[in-house]
Amino acid sequence: MKRVLVISSSFREFSNSDGLAQEFIQGARENNNTVEYISLAGQEIKFCTGCFTCQSTEECVFEDDASRIVKRMATADVLVFATPIYYFEMSGQMKTLLDRTLPIYEKNYKFKEVYLLATAIEEGDEVFNATKEGFLGWIKCFEGAELKGTIFAGGLNEAGEINSHPARKEAYEMGRSIS
Ligand SMILES: Cc1cc2nc3c(=O)[nH]c(=O)nc-3n(C[C@H](O)[C@H](O)[C@H](O)COP(=O)(O)O)c2cc1C
């Protein structure tokens, strides 16, 4: 049984990438994992200013939602990120949150398994490649952490279209595989 933290970054109602996150959560819960879900919608996530104060204090100078979310990240065994693809990359809000993880960089964090769920209008691996590469760059900075799984679902434009997409089952199975 693991502690799983799912961070969903789309701000849209009936978001497609969030649909994948919900399936993942259902599978992970059914396999008796403890799952926490955080949507970035409505959260205050300031940009990292690169002041490096956190490298000596282990605390960010900002007391916003991102600081609290990063602390939740540090105590999870498994991290799952869901993102819409924006211009072939992860969403800006997700990247901004990742930048804010500097307080736990080379410090105490538990997570070893990381998953990425993404949706876009276009189909094909090349649509997802830059998103995956960018995310791998972040993971590489957290020794011991590994990208354990990815799901990319293309062909999704309007909100809610995920409801009839086969990737939902894939996301459920991926969540269910966590033990
Ligand atoms: C600013 C912006 C940029 C986007 N860039 C791309 C893109 O590069 N490739 C693509 O296929 N879809 C792109 N899309 C479409 C979204 O990735 C797609 O609608 C996705 O399913 C939205 O997921 P969500 O419902 O979880 O927000 C873009 C959408 C927005 C709003």
Side-chain angles (χ1 to χ4, degrees):
M1 190 185 108
K2 294 200 166 121
R3 286 188 60 185
V4 181
L5 175 61
V6 178
I7 297 178
S8 187
S9 75
S10 177
F11 290 171
R12 275 217 290 198
E13 246 194 299
F14 309 112
S15 141
N16 292 317
S17 53
D18 190 66
L20 293 181
Q22 296 307 327
E23 289 294 324
F24 191 105
I25 289 168
Q26 199 183 326
R29 285 198 174 130
E30 279 179 23
N31 210 19
N32 296 318
N33 296 285
T34 303
V35 184
E36 183 182 0
Y37 167 79
I38 296 175
S39 165
L40 297 190
Q43 307 270 13
E44 187 186 24
I45 306 169
K46 293 194 167 121
F47 291 113
C48 174
T49 63
C51 71
F52 280 94
T53 303
C54 63
Q55 291 306 278
S56 46
T57 63
E58 296 191 23
E59 292 281 342
C60 183
V61 292
F62 297 131
E63 289 180 24
D64 62 355
D65 294 318
S67 288
R68 285 182 282 281
I69 295 169
V70 169
K71 283 181 182 150
R72 307 299 300 153
M73 287 173 68
T75 58
D77 301 307
V78 180
L79 296 180
V80 184
F81 285 88
T83 185
I85 286 183
Y86 286 172
Y87 300 112
F88 292 91
E89 266 285 5
M90 69 182 79
S91 64
Q93 51 271 29
M94 176 173 156
K95 178 66 168 76
T96 304
L97 177 70
L98 294 183
D99 291 347
R100 290 289 302 282
T101 59
L102 199 57
I104 59 170
Y105 169 72
E106 293 184 336
K107 303 280 188 321
N108 288 329
Y109 57 87
K110 272 185 78 183
F111 56 85
K112 288 199 164 32
E113 297 174 28
V114 188
Y115 293 83
L116 179 63
L117 316 173
T119 60
I121 296 175
E122 291 174 276
E123 304 195 60
D125 284 350
E126 67 283 0
V127 181
F128 181 55
N129 282 348
T131 302
K132 185 177 167 185
E133 282 307 310
F135 190 54
L136 277 169
W138 177 78
I139 293 174
K140 203 155 76 174
C141 299
F142 287 81
E143 210 185 314
E146 195 190 336
L147 185 60
K148 292 283 283 186
T150 62
I151 294 177
F152 168 64
L156 296 168
N157 185 13
E158 300 299 327
E161 282 182 355
I162 190 68
N163 290 338
S164 53
H165 199 288
R168 278 168 60 107
K169 188 164 188 308
E170 220 186 311
Y172 168 81
E173 297 295 348
M174 196 173 267
R176 184 113 173 94
S177 73
I178 293 176
S179 57

